[in-house]
Amino acid sequence: MNHLHKYLLNNLSSTFFPIFFTLFAVTSIIYLVKIASLTSIITMSGFEMMYLYSLNIPVILFYSLPVSFFVSAIINVAKISSEYELIVINSFGLSPLKVMKNFIPISLLMSIALLLISFVLIPKANYSKDIFINKKKQEARFNIKPSEYGQKFGPWYIYVSDKKKNTYFNIILYQNEQNKNTFISAKKATLTNNGNSLSLELFNGTSSIISDELKLVKFKKMIINNHLKQPKQISSLKDIINYWIKGNNDDDLLKNYFISTLPIISILLYISLGYFNPRYQKNHSTAYAMLFLISYIVVMQKLSKTEDLYSMIYLPLTWIIISIGIYILRIKKYF
């Protein structure tokens, strides 16, 4: 039995890692593009961009690992079946259920690892990411470029014609609120860091408010504050528990739970969808794996939006019952 366990794990690793590294690389590119888009708001060096990318690695792992494991486990069983090896194993008295038991330890470890990543590492990484971005904003190193449209300072759209260090010249700000448009123009402005907020000090300008009537105000000095939202601190187990219990994160909690439990609740599916007799049946394992995976993701997304915590019980239970039904119909009859 130990030899069979090692053999199955070796075959699983040869299927798992190519799929995992491909998914990891594709997901990494998506997050790198998102990080690059932040340079329109804050200035970052190449080292800082890589640091921000490293804080996204737990999320990338969380989505890459379960998908890779689910697909590779089914393909692995199908590969051994196509080479008649599972038929031989079955002829020695080892039923598909006994073969399935070899997947229990690795599936359980995968689910535990995903639970730790989703409920501990991801909140801590998000906190560090928010702290980093806030720190960059507090340094007041905004990448506001002269003669460029579409730039923002808080809720304001801002345009400047010239810039010298933290001093801006010929500034125009625009804000659109309900039934009210506000235009502010000034000859000069400076950007100041006040700890938890950034202040834009405007000098010698006018403010125009257009609603039911036009209001025009001239000023020598005006200050616009942009308060930075402070993230909730996550540095201890108590902070993590409070993050999930008091943070109104029920949709994320459900989604993380459903994804984390997928490897362990799908054990019977690995055999049910991958086990076949190559003399009489065709190998449709990849198509089956993708169909069931997509179905699970769609149902998971819908249940997460309902924020029904009871679904933490009935979705995995329904998935296991479906797995048992498929096993009885496809495997138990013939093997």
Side-chain angles (χ1 to χ4, degrees), residues 96-327:
L97 284 178
K98 288 182 179 179
V99 174
M100 181 204 73
K101 289 178 181 178
N102 290 276
F103 288 97
I104 293 176
I106 187 66
S107 299
L108 183 60
L109 284 174
M110 180 64 72
S111 286
I112 291 171
L114 289 170
L115 286 169
L116 288 173
I117 290 171
S118 60
F119 289 105
V120 179
L121 294 184
I122 289 178
K124 287 179 71 68
N126 287 341
Y127 170 72
S128 299
K129 185 166 56 177
D130 291 340
I131 288 291
F132 173 79
I133 293 173
N134 266 12
K135 182 181 177 182
K136 297 300 294 181
K137 289 180 178 180
Q138 288 168 4
E139 289 174 356
R141 293 175 61 194
F142 272 82
N143 193 19
I144 298 176
K145 298 177 181 178
S147 304
E148 193 168 299
Y149 296 95
Q151 301 175 97
K152 295 196 75 176
F153 177 78
W156 296 88
Y157 284 96
I158 184 169
Y159 173 86
V160 299
S161 63
D162 196 12
K163 172 187 174 183
K164 291 181 181 178
K165 294 184 179 180
N166 281 340
T167 303
Y168 304 88
F169 300 94
N170 298 322
I171 307 98
I172 298 175
L173 292 104
Y174 168 72
Q175 183 181 23
N176 182 19
E177 297 176 316
Q178 289 185 346
N179 302 320
K180 185 174 73 172
N181 294 300
T182 305
F183 293 88
I184 298 175
S185 62
K187 292 183 178 179
K188 187 176 76 169
T190 58
L191 195 60
T192 307
N193 178 15
N194 298 317
N196 292 331
S197 66
L198 294 168
S199 296
L200 189 67
E201 295 187 31
L202 304 164
F203 301 94
N204 300 320
T206 58
S207 173
S208 304
I209 301 173
I210 304 172
S211 54
D212 295 333
E213 56 183 17
L214 175 64
K215 296 180 181 179
L216 183 64
V217 177
K218 292 184 178 181
F219 61 86
K220 288 187 177 181
K221 182 179 179 180
M222 177 185 287
I223 299 176
I224 298 176
N225 292 316
N226 179 25
H227 292 281
L228 302 173
K229 185 180 178 181
Q230 297 300 308
K232 293 180 180 179
Q233 186 173 358
I234 299 178
S235 57
S236 65
L237 181 60
K238 183 180 178 181
D239 293 332
I240 292 171
I241 293 171
N242 288 334
Y243 174 86
W244 291 110
I245 294 177
K246 300 178 181 179
N248 296 320
N249 297 307
D250 285 351
D251 54 341
D252 289 334
L253 185 147
L254 288 171
K255 192 184 298 181
N256 290 358
Y257 174 80
F258 292 145
I259 293 174
S260 299
T261 55
L262 179 62
I264 192 65
I265 66 174
S266 302
I267 289 177
L268 207 55
L269 275 180
Y270 305 149
I271 296 294
S272 301
L273 301 180
Y275 212 131
F276 71 101
N277 190 328
R279 291 188 65 184
Y280 308 109
Q281 298 170 305
K282 291 184 178 180
N283 183 4
H284 299 297
S285 59
T286 304
Y288 290 149
M290 297 308 299
L291 177 63
F292 275 81
L293 183 63
I294 292 169
S295 300
Y296 187 84
I297 291 171
V298 170
V299 174
M300 175 199 76
Q301 292 280 11
K302 289 185 177 180
L303 288 176
S304 298
K305 290 178 182 178
T306 63
E307 299 186 3
D308 180 9
L309 295 180
Y310 288 108
S311 62
M312 297 174 75
I313 298 172
Y314 58 74
L315 176 58
L317 186 60
T318 303
W319 191 253
I320 292 170
I321 291 171
I322 291 171
S323 303
I324 294 170
I326 295 171
Y327 175 80

Side-chain angles (χ1 to χ4, degrees), residues 20-35 53 56-57 60-61 64:
F20 169 71
F21 286 129
T22 302
L23 278 176
F24 188 90
V26 171
T27 313
S28 293
I29 291 170
I30 294 170
Y31 275 92
L32 284 170
V33 170
K34 288 182 179 180
I35 291 168
Y53 165 75
N56 286 291
I57 288 178
I60 298 171
L61 285 173
S64 302

